[in-house]
Amino acid sequence: MNEASTGVRPFEDRDEAAVIAVWHRSGQAAYPYLPTWQAFALEHAGEVFKTVIRPRSKIWVGMRHDRVVAFLAMVDSYIDRMYVDPPEWRNGWGTRLVLLAKTLHPSGVELHTHQENHAARALYETHGFRAVKFGVSPPPESAPDVEYHWRPADVGA
């Protein structure tokens, strides 16, 4: 990744449409096994972002050449959303955002992901997250999920 043309910064109002689009595209690509995601319209994604995600989260955006290509939304120490635009997958954005979350919350970070989201699970496990509970995500998805925790004491353990 060319550091001169990339970076992570706090979300700004002008980022909203781009973040919604990244979230929608990434979810559509990452979750072919979730009918609810495949039917999730961009307009509905915008409503959810504006009424649920944005009001309760602190958000950071990954930028490449002045374009939003990734975002991280956190509620306290919980990674509520972390998405990377599909053309940017495997370019280090997930690592950058996970490291940011750990820097912001050095005493620990938590998250959930789908059990079938093998790429995300591998990323989190590479960065020291441990699966602590297997369950089912809330409706409308109601899909098998896994809860991960990272604690500084886990490093090297």
Side-chain angles (χ1 to χ4, degrees):
M1 199 178 313
N2 179 351
E3 297 297 322
S5 62
T6 64
V8 177
R9 63 165 172 76
F11 174 89
E12 298 173 0
D13 289 343
R14 64 188 169 109
D15 300 325
E16 186 172 85
V19 167
I20 293 165
V22 165
W23 179 39
H24 187 258
R25 282 190 301 272
S26 182
Q28 294 267 305
Y31 308 134
Y33 51 86
L34 290 176
T36 52
W37 252 102
Q38 297 309 305
F40 193 43
L42 180 61
E43 296 75 23
H44 188 219
E47 292 169 22
V48 172
F49 184 83
K50 291 173 187 175
T51 61
V52 178
I53 299 168
R54 188 169 176 190
R56 73 177 188 192
S57 305
K58 289 186 179 176
I59 303 169
W60 291 264
V61 293
M63 304 292 295
R64 179 186 297 281
H65 304 299
D66 298 321
R67 187 174 55 87
V68 173
V69 297
F71 79 98
L72 169 70
M74 296 195 70
V75 177
D76 299 317
S77 64
Y78 184 79
I79 295 177
D80 188 54
R81 304 280 194 285
M82 189 174 86
Y83 286 87
V84 177
D85 213 0
E88 294 288 333
W89 286 359
R90 304 221 180 272
N91 284 334
W93 290 107
T95 291
R96 286 176 89 161
L97 295 176
V98 164
L99 293 176
L100 173 62
K102 290 165 89 174
T103 299
L104 293 168
H105 298 281
S107 62
V109 178
E110 306 79 34
L111 62 93
H112 285 82
T113 194
H114 297 288
Q115 289 183 29
E116 287 189 58
N117 192 346
H118 302 293
R121 294 182 65 188
L123 171 74
Y124 300 132
E125 291 170 10
T126 295
H127 289 285
F129 283 77
R130 293 180 183 229
V132 297
K133 183 179 176 188
F134 290 83
V136 175
S137 63
E141 291 173 348
S142 302
D145 71 0
V146 57
E147 180 178 345
Y148 278 98
H149 290 184
W150 170 80
R151 301 290 181 260
D154 293 343
V155 176

mmCIF file of all heavy atoms in Angstrom, residues 83-112:
data_model
loop_
_atom_site.group_PDB
_atom_site.id
_atom_site.type_symbol
_atom_site.label_atom_id
_atom_site.label_comp_id
_atom_site.label_asym_id
_atom_site.label_seq_id
_atom_site.Cartn_x
_atom_site.Cartn_y
_atom_site.Cartn_z
ATOM 1 N N TYR A 83 -15.742 -2.703 7.245
ATOM 2 C CA TYR A 83 -15.937 -3.136 5.866
ATOM 3 C C TYR A 83 -14.896 -2.490 4.968
ATOM 4 O O TYR A 83 -14.514 -1.339 5.167
ATOM 5 C CB TYR A 83 -17.340 -2.763 5.373
ATOM 6 C CG TYR A 83 -18.405 -3.649 5.969
ATOM 7 C CD1 TYR A 83 -18.984 -3.354 7.190
ATOM 8 C CD2 TYR A 83 -18.825 -4.795 5.302
ATOM 9 C CE1 TYR A 83 -19.955 -4.178 7.742
ATOM 10 C CE2 TYR A 83 -19.793 -5.623 5.839
ATOM 11 C CZ TYR A 83 -20.349 -5.308 7.059
ATOM 12 O OH TYR A 83 -21.297 -6.139 7.599
ATOM 13 N N VAL A 84 -14.493 -3.252 3.970
ATOM 14 C CA VAL A 84 -13.525 -2.797 2.980
ATOM 15 C C VAL A 84 -14.148 -3.012 1.611
ATOM 16 O O VAL A 84 -14.727 -4.073 1.340
ATOM 17 C CB VAL A 84 -12.198 -3.592 3.101
ATOM 18 C CG1 VAL A 84 -11.217 -3.172 2.019
ATOM 19 C CG2 VAL A 84 -11.599 -3.406 4.495
ATOM 20 N N ASP A 85 -14.032 -2.011 0.748
ATOM 21 C CA ASP A 85 -14.553 -2.115 -0.610
ATOM 22 C C ASP A 85 -13.913 -3.325 -1.297
ATOM 23 O O ASP A 85 -12.691 -3.500 -1.219
ATOM 24 C CB ASP A 85 -14.233 -0.833 -1.376
ATOM 25 C CG ASP A 85 -15.294 -0.456 -2.384
ATOM 26 O OD1 ASP A 85 -16.298 -1.177 -2.507
ATOM 27 O OD2 ASP A 85 -15.106 0.576 -3.060
ATOM 28 N N PRO A 86 -14.693 -4.184 -1.956
ATOM 29 C CA PRO A 86 -14.120 -5.406 -2.551
ATOM 30 C C PRO A 86 -12.870 -5.209 -3.410
ATOM 31 O O PRO A 86 -11.933 -6.012 -3.281
ATOM 32 C CB PRO A 86 -15.293 -5.996 -3.343
ATOM 33 C CG PRO A 86 -16.494 -5.564 -2.560
ATOM 34 C CD PRO A 86 -16.155 -4.165 -2.080
ATOM 35 N N PRO A 87 -12.764 -4.156 -4.243
ATOM 36 C CA PRO A 87 -11.514 -4.013 -5.010
ATOM 37 C C PRO A 87 -10.278 -3.784 -4.128
ATOM 38 O O PRO A 87 -9.153 -3.942 -4.585
ATOM 39 C CB PRO A 87 -11.760 -2.798 -5.904
ATOM 40 C CG PRO A 87 -13.237 -2.637 -5.955
ATOM 41 C CD PRO A 87 -13.761 -3.159 -4.645
ATOM 42 N N GLU A 88 -10.503 -3.426 -2.866
ATOM 43 C CA GLU A 88 -9.403 -3.155 -1.933
ATOM 44 C C GLU A 88 -9.132 -4.316 -0.978
ATOM 45 O O GLU A 88 -8.273 -4.210 -0.105
ATOM 46 C CB GLU A 88 -9.711 -1.889 -1.125
ATOM 47 C CG GLU A 88 -9.742 -0.633 -1.950
ATOM 48 C CD GLU A 88 -8.358 -0.194 -2.400
ATOM 49 O OE1 GLU A 88 -7.359 -0.495 -1.720
ATOM 50 O OE2 GLU A 88 -8.280 0.477 -3.453
ATOM 51 N N TRP A 89 -9.864 -5.423 -1.126
ATOM 52 C CA TRP A 89 -9.631 -6.573 -0.251
ATOM 53 C C TRP A 89 -8.194 -7.041 -0.393
ATOM 54 O O TRP A 89 -7.607 -7.003 -1.471
ATOM 55 C CB TRP A 89 -10.589 -7.706 -0.595
ATOM 56 C CG TRP A 89 -12.012 -7.479 -0.154
ATOM 57 C CD1 TRP A 89 -12.508 -6.406 0.527
ATOM 58 C CD2 TRP A 89 -13.119 -8.339 -0.390
ATOM 59 N NE1 TRP A 89 -13.860 -6.555 0.733
ATOM 60 C CE2 TRP A 89 -14.257 -7.741 0.184
ATOM 61 C CE3 TRP A 89 -13.265 -9.568 -1.028
ATOM 62 C CZ2 TRP A 89 -15.528 -8.320 0.139
ATOM 63 C CZ3 TRP A 89 -14.536 -10.147 -1.068
ATOM 64 C CH2 TRP A 89 -15.649 -9.526 -0.486
ATOM 65 N N ARG A 90 -7.647 -7.493 0.709
ATOM 66 C CA ARG A 90 -6.285 -8.055 0.774
ATOM 67 C C ARG A 90 -5.205 -7.013 0.448
ATOM 68 O O ARG A 90 -4.128 -7.357 -0.023
ATOM 69 C CB ARG A 90 -6.147 -9.287 -0.104
ATOM 70 C CG ARG A 90 -7.174 -10.355 0.231
ATOM 71 C CD ARG A 90 -6.583 -11.735 0.204
ATOM 72 N NE ARG A 90 -7.566 -12.756 0.514
ATOM 73 C CZ ARG A 90 -7.873 -13.182 1.731
ATOM 74 N NH1 ARG A 90 -7.301 -12.642 2.780
ATOM 75 N NH2 ARG A 90 -8.754 -14.139 1.908
ATOM 76 N N ASN A 91 -5.520 -5.749 0.715
ATOM 77 C CA ASN A 91 -4.537 -4.676 0.548
ATOM 78 C C ASN A 91 -4.126 -4.060 1.883
ATOM 79 O O ASN A 91 -3.550 -2.969 1.904
ATOM 80 C CB ASN A 91 -5.079 -3.572 -0.373
ATOM 81 C CG ASN A 91 -5.061 -3.975 -1.829
ATOM 82 O OD1 ASN A 91 -4.263 -4.809 -2.239
ATOM 83 N ND2 ASN A 91 -5.944 -3.388 -2.613
ATOM 84 N N GLY A 92 -4.443 -4.724 2.984
ATOM 85 C CA GLY A 92 -3.998 -4.258 4.298
ATOM 86 C C GLY A 92 -4.974 -3.393 5.071
ATOM 87 O O GLY A 92 -4.665 -2.990 6.197
ATOM 88 N N TRP A 93 -6.129 -3.099 4.507
ATOM 89 C CA TRP A 93 -7.081 -2.227 5.209
ATOM 90 C C TRP A 93 -7.614 -2.857 6.479
ATOM 91 O O TRP A 93 -7.752 -2.186 7.510
ATOM 92 C CB TRP A 93 -8.224 -1.823 4.281
ATOM 93 C CG TRP A 93 -7.783 -0.884 3.222
ATOM 94 C CD1 TRP A 93 -7.613 -1.151 1.900
ATOM 95 C CD2 TRP A 93 -7.391 0.482 3.401
ATOM 96 N NE1 TRP A 93 -7.145 -0.034 1.245
ATOM 97 C CE2 TRP A 93 -7.008 0.986 2.146
ATOM 98 C CE3 TRP A 93 -7.326 1.329 4.504
ATOM 99 C CZ2 TRP A 93 -6.572 2.291 1.965
ATOM 100 C CZ3 TRP A 93 -6.892 2.630 4.318
ATOM 101 C CH2 TRP A 93 -6.525 3.104 3.065
ATOM 102 N N GLY A 94 -7.943 -4.143 6.428
ATOM 103 C CA GLY A 94 -8.439 -4.812 7.634
ATOM 104 C C GLY A 94 -7.428 -4.738 8.764
ATOM 105 O O GLY A 94 -7.771 -4.419 9.907
ATOM 106 N N THR A 95 -6.182 -4.997 8.443
ATOM 107 C CA THR A 95 -5.119 -4.917 9.446
ATOM 108 C C THR A 95 -5.019 -3.498 9.999
ATOM 109 O O THR A 95 -4.940 -3.298 11.218
ATOM 110 C CB THR A 95 -3.776 -5.363 8.841
ATOM 111 O OG1 THR A 95 -3.853 -6.768 8.580
ATOM 112 C CG2 THR A 95 -2.612 -5.073 9.773
ATOM 113 N N ARG A 96 -5.022 -2.509 9.139
ATOM 114 C CA ARG A 96 -4.917 -1.115 9.611
ATOM 115 C C ARG A 96 -6.064 -0.763 10.560
ATOM 116 O O ARG A 96 -5.854 -0.118 11.590
ATOM 117 C CB ARG A 96 -4.931 -0.145 8.435
ATOM 118 C CG ARG A 96 -3.630 -0.156 7.664
ATOM 119 C CD ARG A 96 -3.717 0.738 6.467
ATOM 120 N NE ARG A 96 -3.312 2.099 6.843
ATOM 121 C CZ ARG A 96 -2.938 3.007 5.974
ATOM 122 N NH1 ARG A 96 -2.906 2.724 4.680
ATOM 123 N NH2 ARG A 96 -2.594 4.205 6.359
ATOM 124 N N LEU A 97 -7.269 -1.187 10.201
ATOM 125 C CA LEU A 97 -8.423 -0.838 11.030
ATOM 126 C C LEU A 97 -8.437 -1.615 12.339
ATOM 127 O O LEU A 97 -8.794 -1.075 13.391
ATOM 128 C CB LEU A 97 -9.716 -1.039 10.237
ATOM 129 C CG LEU A 97 -9.856 -0.095 9.032
ATOM 130 C CD1 LEU A 97 -11.112 -0.428 8.240
ATOM 131 C CD2 LEU A 97 -9.845 1.372 9.442
ATOM 132 N N VAL A 98 -8.036 -2.889 12.313
ATOM 133 C CA VAL A 98 -7.936 -3.664 13.551
ATOM 134 C C VAL A 98 -6.885 -3.041 14.468
ATOM 135 O O VAL A 98 -7.107 -2.894 15.677
ATOM 136 C CB VAL A 98 -7.626 -5.145 13.253
ATOM 137 C CG1 VAL A 98 -7.149 -5.876 14.499
ATOM 138 C CG2 VAL A 98 -8.853 -5.840 12.681
ATOM 139 N N LEU A 99 -5.750 -2.669 13.923
ATOM 140 C CA LEU A 99 -4.703 -2.045 14.740
ATOM 141 C C LEU A 99 -5.171 -0.718 15.319
ATOM 142 O O LEU A 99 -4.853 -0.386 16.472
ATOM 143 C CB LEU A 99 -3.420 -1.877 13.939
ATOM 144 C CG LEU A 99 -2.727 -3.186 13.545
ATOM 145 C CD1 LEU A 99 -1.508 -2.901 12.658
ATOM 146 C CD2 LEU A 99 -2.343 -4.015 14.756
ATOM 147 N N LEU A 100 -5.948 0.037 14.551
ATOM 148 C CA LEU A 100 -6.523 1.284 15.076
ATOM 149 C C LEU A 100 -7.446 0.978 16.250
ATOM 150 O O LEU A 100 -7.362 1.632 17.298
ATOM 151 C CB LEU A 100 -7.279 2.032 13.973
ATOM 152 C CG LEU A 100 -8.070 3.254 14.435
ATOM 153 C CD1 LEU A 100 -7.151 4.318 15.040
ATOM 154 C CD2 LEU A 100 -8.879 3.828 13.272
ATOM 155 N N ALA A 101 -8.314 -0.006 16.103
ATOM 156 C CA ALA A 101 -9.236 -0.370 17.185
ATOM 157 C C ALA A 101 -8.460 -0.757 18.444
ATOM 158 O O ALA A 101 -8.817 -0.351 19.560
ATOM 159 C CB ALA A 101 -10.147 -1.507 16.736
ATOM 160 N N LYS A 102 -7.391 -1.522 18.276
ATOM 161 C CA LYS A 102 -6.592 -1.944 19.420
ATOM 162 C C LYS A 102 -5.861 -0.763 20.050
ATOM 163 O O LYS A 102 -5.708 -0.706 21.279
ATOM 164 C CB LYS A 102 -5.606 -3.036 18.986
ATOM 165 C CG LYS A 102 -6.313 -4.353 18.659
ATOM 166 C CD LYS A 102 -5.434 -5.312 17.888
ATOM 167 C CE LYS A 102 -4.627 -6.190 18.758
ATOM 168 N NZ LYS A 102 -3.883 -7.228 17.987
ATOM 169 N N THR A 103 -5.429 0.190 19.244
ATOM 170 C CA THR A 103 -4.772 1.394 19.767
ATOM 171 C C THR A 103 -5.769 2.254 20.547
ATOM 172 O O THR A 103 -5.450 2.786 21.604
ATOM 173 C CB THR A 103 -4.157 2.209 18.608
ATOM 174 O OG1 THR A 103 -3.179 1.399 17.959
ATOM 175 C CG2 THR A 103 -3.519 3.487 19.101
ATOM 176 N N LEU A 104 -6.982 2.377 20.013
ATOM 177 C CA LEU A 104 -8.009 3.177 20.674
ATOM 178 C C LEU A 104 -8.491 2.542 21.969
ATOM 179 O O LEU A 104 -8.921 3.236 22.890
ATOM 180 C CB LEU A 104 -9.199 3.376 19.734
ATOM 181 C CG LEU A 104 -8.941 4.222 18.491
ATOM 182 C CD1 LEU A 104 -10.091 4.095 17.505
ATOM 183 C CD2 LEU A 104 -8.722 5.683 18.874
ATOM 184 N N HIS A 105 -8.429 1.205 22.040
ATOM 185 C CA HIS A 105 -8.937 0.466 23.204
ATOM 186 C C HIS A 105 -7.895 -0.569 23.634
ATOM 187 O O HIS A 105 -8.089 -1.779 23.457
ATOM 188 C CB HIS A 105 -10.273 -0.190 22.869
ATOM 189 C CG HIS A 105 -11.311 0.819 22.530
ATOM 190 N ND1 HIS A 105 -11.993 1.536 23.489
ATOM 191 C CD2 HIS A 105 -11.731 1.294 21.333
ATOM 192 C CE1 HIS A 105 -12.805 2.388 22.894
ATOM 193 N NE2 HIS A 105 -12.660 2.263 21.593
ATOM 194 N N PRO A 106 -6.793 -0.106 24.209
ATOM 195 C CA PRO A 106 -5.691 -1.016 24.533
ATOM 196 C C PRO A 106 -6.022 -2.057 25.597
ATOM 197 O O PRO A 106 -5.296 -3.036 25.740
ATOM 198 C CB PRO A 106 -4.574 -0.077 24.989
ATOM 199 C CG PRO A 106 -5.258 1.180 25.397
ATOM 200 C CD PRO A 106 -6.491 1.285 24.536
ATOM 201 N N SER A 107 -7.114 -1.874 26.320
ATOM 202 C CA SER A 107 -7.463 -2.882 27.332
ATOM 203 C C SER A 107 -8.306 -4.012 26.749
ATOM 204 O O SER A 107 -8.532 -5.015 27.420
ATOM 205 C CB SER A 107 -8.186 -2.235 28.513
ATOM 206 O OG SER A 107 -9.388 -1.647 28.077
ATOM 207 N N GLY A 108 -8.769 -3.863 25.506
ATOM 208 C CA GLY A 108 -9.499 -4.959 24.880
ATOM 209 C C GLY A 108 -10.506 -4.493 23.847
ATOM 210 O O GLY A 108 -11.006 -3.376 23.912
ATOM 211 N N VAL A 109 -10.773 -5.383 22.889
ATOM 212 C CA VAL A 109 -11.707 -5.120 21.794
ATOM 213 C C VAL A 109 -12.565 -6.369 21.603
ATOM 214 O O VAL A 109 -12.070 -7.495 21.754
ATOM 215 C CB VAL A 109 -10.958 -4.792 20.481
ATOM 216 C CG1 VAL A 109 -11.918 -4.576 19.326
ATOM 217 C CG2 VAL A 109 -10.054 -3.571 20.664
ATOM 218 N N GLU A 110 -13.839 -6.153 21.268
ATOM 219 C CA GLU A 110 -14.760 -7.246 21.030
ATOM 220 C C GLU A 110 -15.440 -7.051 19.681
ATOM 221 O O GLU A 110 -15.536 -5.935 19.179
ATOM 222 C CB GLU A 110 -15.859 -7.295 22.111
ATOM 223 C CG GLU A 110 -15.359 -7.342 23.536
ATOM 224 C CD GLU A 110 -14.902 -6.000 24.087
ATOM 225 O OE1 GLU A 110 -15.490 -4.954 23.721
ATOM 226 O OE2 GLU A 110 -13.927 -5.988 24.856
ATOM 227 N N LEU A 111 -15.965 -8.152 19.128
ATOM 228 C CA LEU A 111 -16.726 -8.081 17.883
ATOM 229 C C LEU A 111 -17.453 -9.398 17.659
ATOM 230 O O LEU A 111 -17.187 -10.390 18.339
ATOM 231 C CB LEU A 111 -15.796 -7.802 16.694
ATOM 232 C CG LEU A 111 -14.718 -8.855 16.397
ATOM 233 C CD1 LEU A 111 -15.208 -9.866 15.375
ATOM 234 C CD2 LEU A 111 -13.467 -8.172 15.886
ATOM 235 N N HIS A 112 -18.371 -9.383 16.716
ATOM 236 C CA HIS A 112 -19.021 -10.593 16.211
ATOM 237 C C HIS A 112 -18.802 -10.638 14.706
ATOM 238 O O HIS A 112 -18.738 -9.591 14.056
ATOM 239 C CB HIS A 112 -20.542 -10.563 16.452
ATOM 240 C CG HIS A 112 -20.933 -10.827 17.861
ATOM 241 N ND1 HIS A 112 -20.913 -9.856 18.826
ATOM 242 C CD2 HIS A 112 -21.355 -11.964 18.464
ATOM 243 C CE1 HIS A 112 -21.324 -10.373 19.974
ATOM 244 N NE2 HIS A 112 -21.596 -11.658 19.783
#
